[in-house]
Amino acid sequence: MRESGGRGQGPGRGAGGAGSQGGPGAARRTSGGPGRAGRQGGSSRSEGTGRPASPENPPRGPREGSDPLDLPFGRDAFRDDDRDNDRDDHRDNNRGRPPQDPGDEGRGRSRQGDGDRGRPREDRSRGGDARRRSRDEGEQPRGRGSQARDESDRPRGAGSRGRGSSAREDGDASRGRGSRDDDGDRLRGRGSRDDDGDRLRGRVQGHEERSRGRTDDRAGTRRDGGRPGGEDPRRRGPQEDVPSRRTPAGRSSAGGSRTGRGGDGPPPRGPRRPPPAPPRPPLVLRLGSPRRRINIGLIGMTFVLSIFAGRLVQMQGLDSKVYEAAAADQRQHTETIQAKRGSINDVNGHELAVTIEAREVSIDPTKVPVSIRAKAAAILGQQLGKSQQEIAEKLARTGTHYQLLARDVDPVVATRLLQARIPALSAKKTYRRLYPAGDLAGSLIGFVGDEGNGLGGMEQSKNSLLAGRDGEQRVETGRDGQRIPMTSSQRTAPVDGQDVRLTIDRDIQWAAQKSIGEQVRKSGADSGTVIVMDVRTAQVVAMANAPELDLGNWRKAPASSYVNKAAADVFEPGSTNKVITAAAAIEAKAVTPDTVYQVPDRIRCADQVLRDSHAHKMEAMTFRQAMAQSSNVATIMAARKVGSQRLYEMLKAFGFGSTPGGGVPSAEAGLLPDYKKWSGSQNCTVAYGQGVSVTALQMASVYQTIANGGVKIEPQIVAGTTDTTGRFVPAPAGKQTRVVSETTAKEIAMMLESAVGAEGTGQLAAIGGYRVAGKTGTADRYDAELGRYDGYTASFVGFAPADQPRLVVLSVVQNPKNGHFGGELAAPVFKDVMTFAIKSKKIPPTGSAAPPVRMRAGQ
């Protein structure tokens, strides 16, 4: 055994341990030489011992939450691995130091464990017996244990506070870690008493029991080699990894207490480090009770399922009928089956307006790829008669799924387009209104809009009769609009419209329209009108306007051409109105055709002077001659004998101021002020047709009444209709009203025949071989746009044959620029139309000659 001291026989945990060779702890090295040997009986100090308690050094208790002894190994590892531990301690303590020569031991640098190696085996085993006794006795030690460790292996690196005592060479009192060797005093530390040893042994025993499970693992780790460098995990403390600090005296603060090689006194002690913080216990996630989670989940599921169950009960039980109806409405779609519109025919059955089958071509722009749009636009534009740019713009509107390309497309063209396989192109079956005669009676017939409703003329006035009643079909369709096979359907058959047969004769209409059109162009007039009427029935045979509406291109025509001027335009009739004054005077027996008047060329009426139709000297005229030469002054003289009231009543009886019946579209009533409101001059001007307003249809009706022997018949434009079986049903005859006596009517007719004679103003209306009666008219024209009189209205109206009247023809030229007299502009139109109508109707001449009459006074 070496004198420098080493381990005792036991770990040096109490006074009962052997430790006669210097105690269980390593001798503390001093600068003077080797450390003193520990005293026998446990002069070393265990880890739990310390200096005596004092105010400067209060007693320490065990660290909270840590092992009282903090032993890294159990009793088996301690007993079996003593020798290995000594060698490891030696390596750990000398790690990082330069190699030592053998002479170092004499200078107090002896290695730890040398005492154990030089100690007999029985001394070493004695310490093991002491440990076993401590474990068996089960006493609870008050210190931290007396196992001796090398200072370099202490976990806290707190200088000389090892687990054994260290003697100091300079004789200083031990600071609770051992006894002084020179005076033999008892250890003042806790490990110097027997009772303290007992308590120490109990503490060791309790610690070993708690750390029994990990001792073998740590020992096994060390036996297997431990960490690189020979470090012993059992001997490393919490601050093992802290690097060593050098004090000014050459003492390591972390690797153990060591004096300098030439120092005389003890090395200075560094500041005491606080004990390491206890390791935090691992976080333990405490899970709730599984039963509670399951119960909560079941409650939630029950709540959700109850909501679904309630909703199902509501939908399938309470509201089942509502949802069933809603589902049916989604599947069922109502398709309108368009009824075929009835046709409009002339009196002989010739079609003036007819309905044919057509297609409505549309496309879904969203389904047309961009790459083929240009090609598709070119094909569609060429076939539909539209510009390629217009079609391309419609194909580019991808914000909608429906884009109408064209209506009224011929079925052959639509089939050709469908064969071109243009994506999303569809053709719907529709009907197209076709007008074979073009502009023939255009404004009278009217036209049909895009929605299938009449917008003018007969198309509008007889729309309900012509349109019929559309049918419908309820079918079930899918998402793509295709009909679902084998599903129920409800179909209501459409009722086609009825055909309307007019009183218009297509041929006479053409002749009238041609004649007035030419005269309007020649005279530079604004417009012209021709009406041909059957005397015996008052049926309108022709009703022509110039310019006429082209029904094939009505969308581009001006709005003024939509109006049927023959029935809607109101104008002052002028001299053609003198027949009513003559009828009132003759009917009142105030005058006769042979009554002579001294007629000047002007006459004062109230505050105005009215002039005759032409300047002349005072002249004696019969009333027949005044009518033939259209004398305004002679007419005023005859009207004064009648009076304003009777004249007004006669005008009313002939239809002035009231709308003519018979279903003529756009017919107006004209303007007939009450005689009580007539001005002073108006009492005179009304007699020759100024101050009242009529339509061409009204004036034609006046002459029809004279030609018909004084019986007025409401003008008729509709001859009849065809029922659903195709059978023709004639229209009821117009209302008949006697206005004047037959004698009066014949006398007036003879007076009108004189107006077309050699001395009359209507010579240009004469027709060879036929007796013609008629009257010219020239009136100042009131321009509503200007708000004053401007221009003239030239007119002529008559009938033929005069002795057996069959037809009445009226021609009116509005605001002509080349001439303005009715005998010059309107009479020739009358002649052309009457001649054609007579031949068309195959009306033969009567063969009789006009009876001689007295034209001038004195004859």
Side-chain angles (χ1 to χ4, degrees):
M1 180 174 62
R2 301 183 62 155
E3 295 178 357
S4 59
R7 296 184 179 181
Q9 293 181 359
R13 292 184 176 91
S20 62
Q21 301 298 325
R28 186 163 188 168
R29 301 180 184 89
T30 63
S31 60
R36 296 178 183 178
R39 291 181 61 183
Q40 191 172 8
S43 60
S44 65
R45 184 166 58 104
S46 66
E47 186 176 281
T49 63
R51 287 177 292 183
S54 64
E56 294 80 3
N57 186 22
R60 290 185 182 179
R63 290 177 295 176
E64 183 179 358
S66 64
D67 197 340
L69 293 180
D70 197 16
L71 294 177
F73 49 85
R75 66 176 182 271
D76 296 336
F78 181 86
R79 185 171 56 249
D80 296 339
D81 298 336
D82 282 342
R83 189 176 301 278
D84 296 337
N85 293 342
D86 293 339
R87 286 196 297 271
D88 293 339
D89 293 343
H90 176 71
R91 286 194 298 270
D92 294 341
N93 196 28
N94 292 288
R95 182 181 302 163
R97 294 191 306 178
Q100 298 179 358
D101 53 1
D104 291 340
E105 294 179 359
R107 293 192 296 271
R109 299 181 180 175
S110 61
R111 301 177 181 175
Q112 294 181 357
D114 290 343
D116 291 340
R117 287 195 293 271
R119 194 187 311 169
R121 181 177 298 273
E122 58 271 15
D123 295 337
R124 291 196 300 270
S125 64
R126 193 176 305 163
D129 296 336
R131 288 193 296 272
R132 285 191 295 273
R133 286 194 303 271
S134 175
R135 185 176 64 250
D136 296 336
E137 292 174 0
E139 295 179 1
Q140 180 69 24
R142 284 179 289 180
R144 292 189 178 181
S146 60
Q147 179 181 357
R149 284 190 180 182
D150 192 85
E151 292 179 358
S152 63
D153 295 332
R154 288 192 297 266
R156 291 180 301 274
S160 61
R161 294 180 60 187
R163 295 186 178 181
S165 63
S166 299
R168 293 190 180 182
E169 189 176 1
D170 54 2
D172 293 337
S174 176
R175 299 178 181 178
R177 299 182 184 181
S179 63
R180 297 178 61 181
D181 293 339
D182 51 356
D183 53 5
D185 294 337
R186 295 176 60 87
L187 288 171
R188 286 175 291 181
R190 298 176 187 177
S192 62
R193 298 180 182 179
D194 293 339
D195 54 348
D196 294 338
D198 295 338
R199 288 191 297 270
L200 182 60
R201 283 193 296 274
R203 187 181 303 173
V204 172
Q205 181 179 359
H207 177 74
E208 288 181 354
E209 290 177 355
R210 288 191 300 270
S211 62
R212 186 177 298 168
R214 64 176 181 270
T215 304
D216 294 338
D217 295 338
R218 295 182 179 178
T221 303
R222 178 171 180 177
R223 284 193 296 271
D224 292 341
R227 298 184 181 181
E231 296 182 4
D232 188 358
R234 295 178 302 173
R235 296 176 181 269
R236 297 184 63 182
Q239 297 182 3
E240 182 72 18
D241 297 335
V242 179
S244 301
R245 293 189 302 173
R246 287 288 184 177
T247 61
R251 177 181 176 183
S252 175
S253 63
S257 174
R258 187 177 63 181
T259 61
R261 294 185 178 182
D264 294 336
R269 294 172 60 94
R272 183 178 298 174
R273 295 187 178 182
R280 293 183 179 179
L283 295 177
V284 178
L285 179 62
R286 293 184 178 274
L287 301 177
S289 175
R291 179 174 296 176
R292 182 172 60 184
R293 292 195 300 272
I294 292 174
N295 291 338
I296 294 175
L298 290 176
I299 292 173
M301 293 176 61
T302 302
F303 178 73
V304 173
L305 291 177
S306 64
I307 294 176
F308 282 110
R311 183 61 173 164
L312 289 175
V313 170
Q314 179 189 3
M315 294 177 64
Q316 298 184 0
L318 302 178
D319 298 338
S320 60
K321 298 298 182 182
V322 176
Y323 288 101
E324 182 181 356
D329 289 340
Q330 287 183 344
R331 296 191 311 271
Q332 292 183 355
H333 295 274
T334 302
E335 297 178 354
T336 301
I337 304 176
Q338 188 175 2
K340 184 178 180 181
R341 191 176 182 87
S343 61
I344 299 177
N345 307 322
D346 75 339
V347 69
N348 297 317
H350 298 114
E351 293 178 341
L352 302 177
V354 64
T355 298
I356 61 174
E357 187 175 326
R359 297 291 184 269
E360 184 177 275
V361 179
S362 62
I363 197 169
D364 184 356
T366 61
K367 296 182 180 180
V368 181
V370 180
S371 58
I372 66 170
R373 284 182 186 172
K375 183 178 179 181
I379 297 175
L380 292 171
Q382 180 182 3
Q383 295 294 328
L384 298 177
K386 298 180 179 292
S387 65
Q388 182 177 352
Q389 181 180 0
E390 179 183 355
I391 301 298
E393 291 177 356
K394 292 184 178 181
L395 295 180
R397 298 172 185 172
T398 56
T400 177
H401 292 278
Y402 176 82
Q403 192 65 42
L404 179 64
L405 298 180
R407 288 188 174 94
D408 300 336
V409 180
D410 191 281
V412 177
V413 177
T415 303
R416 191 182 305 123
L417 288 175
L418 293 176
Q419 292 176 353
R421 298 185 180 277
I422 299 175
L425 185 69
S426 61
K428 178 182 177 182
K429 179 181 177 180
T430 58
Y431 291 104
R432 175 187 178 188
R433 197 64 166 172
L434 185 64
Y435 302 96
D439 64 347
L440 189 68
S443 58
L444 171 64
I445 295 173
F447 52 89
V448 176
D450 295 334
E451 302 300 328
N453 297 322
L455 299 180
M458 296 301 302
E459 295 279 18
Q460 184 178 17
S461 63
K462 301 298 180 180
N463 182 70
S464 59
L465 190 65
L466 291 168
R469 184 173 64 251
D470 292 341
E472 63 179 18
Q473 184 176 9
R474 294 179 62 88
V475 296
E476 295 187 13
T477 59
R479 287 181 55 187
D480 55 353
Q482 297 295 328
R483 182 176 177 180
I484 302 175
M486 307 300 293
T487 56
S488 61
S489 63
Q490 299 177 358
R491 186 178 186 274
T492 302
V495 178
D496 293 339
Q498 300 183 30
D499 296 341
V500 175
R501 182 177 296 183
L502 302 181
T503 60
I504 300 295
D505 187 301
R506 184 183 62 175
D507 298 336
I508 299 175
Q509 175 72 28
W510 173 83
Q513 195 167 316
K514 178 177 179 294
S515 179
I516 191 62
E518 292 178 352
Q519 189 63 280
V520 167
R521 286 191 297 270
K522 290 179 181 179
S523 63
D526 294 342
S527 62
T529 300
V530 170
I531 294 178
V532 179
M533 185 178 293
D534 192 307
V535 172
R536 294 175 296 184
T537 60
Q539 293 181 350
V540 178
V541 179
M543 184 174 282
N545 295 284
E548 190 57 273
L549 174 64
D550 184 5
L551 297 178
N553 197 20
W554 61 267
R555 290 180 175 86
K556 296 182 180 180
S560 59
S561 63
Y562 295 168
V563 180
N564 181 17
K565 296 180 178 62
D569 263 7
V570 178
F571 60 94
E572 294 186 3
S575 296
T576 56
N577 192 52
K578 292 176 182 178
V579 294
I580 299 177
T581 304
I586 295 175
E587 189 72 14
K589 300 186 182 302
V591 296
T592 63
D594 296 331
T595 302
V596 177
Y597 290 97
Q598 299 296 323
V599 181
D601 62 349
R602 66 193 62 187
I603 189 173
R604 175 171 289 276
C605 188
D607 58 344
Q608 292 187 8
V609 176
L610 303 177
R611 299 180 180 276
D612 210 341
S613 59
H614 58 281
H616 60 85
K617 294 179 180 181
M618 181 71 69
E619 182 179 358
M621 293 183 181
T622 62
F623 190 59
R624 180 180 292 110
Q625 181 183 1
M627 290 291 297
Q629 296 180 0
S630 189
S631 174
N632 295 335
V633 176
T635 305
I636 293 173
M637 291 178 178
R640 284 178 175 177
K641 291 182 178 182
V642 175
S644 298
Q645 181 178 356
R646 289 186 179 181
L647 179 60
Y648 171 80
E649 292 175 354
M650 187 58 68
L651 292 170
K652 192 79 173 175
F654 273 98
F656 280 30
S658 60
T659 304
V664 179
S666 304
E668 294 290 340
L671 179 62
L672 177 62
D674 191 350
Y675 72 96
K676 296 178 182 180
K677 297 180 181 179
W678 290 355
S679 63
S681 60
Q682 194 172 6
N683 289 321
C684 299
T685 59
V686 169
Y688 59 86
Q690 297 281 173
V692 292
S693 297
V694 295
T695 63
L697 181 62
Q698 286 176 320
M699 188 54 64
S701 178
V702 170
Y703 281 77
Q704 178 271 330
T705 302
I706 300 298
N708 195 34
V711 177
K712 178 179 179 296
I713 303 175
E714 288 184 345
Q716 299 294 310
I717 195 67
V718 177
T721 59
T722 56
D723 58 12
T724 55
T725 62
R727 183 175 61 89
F728 176 73
V729 179
K735 181 180 178 182
Q736 299 184 6
T737 305
R738 177 165 290 280
V739 179
V740 293
S741 63
E742 185 175 358
T743 303
T744 302
K746 288 183 176 180
E747 289 181 352
I748 294 174
M750 293 180 65
M751 294 170 63
L752 293 176
E753 189 175 0
S754 299
V756 182
E759 296 184 8
T761 56
Q763 299 177 11
L764 296 178
I767 300 174
Y770 288 87
R771 294 173 59 180
V772 177
K775 182 69 181 73
T776 61
T778 304
D780 292 333
R781 179 177 178 270
Y782 182 83
D783 195 327
E785 295 181 359
L786 299 176
R788 57 183 175 83
Y789 285 93
D790 183 74
Y792 297 92
T793 297
S795 61
F796 184 93
V797 57
F799 49 87
D803 54 343
Q804 295 180 4
R806 295 285 307 273
L807 296 175
V808 174
V809 175
L810 167 71
S811 63
V812 180
V813 179
Q814 294 288 348
N815 196 22
K817 305 300 187 294
N818 302 323
H820 62 279
F821 291 109
E824 297 177 354
L825 300 177
V829 175
F830 168 87
K831 179 180 180 179
D832 293 342
V833 174
M834 181 62 80
T835 302
F836 185 90
I838 288 175
K839 292 180 179 179
S840 179
K841 292 288 186 179
K842 298 181 172 56
I843 300 173
T846 60
S848 62
V853 292
R854 182 184 177 190
M855 290 294 298
R856 294 179 179 273
Q859 288 183 352

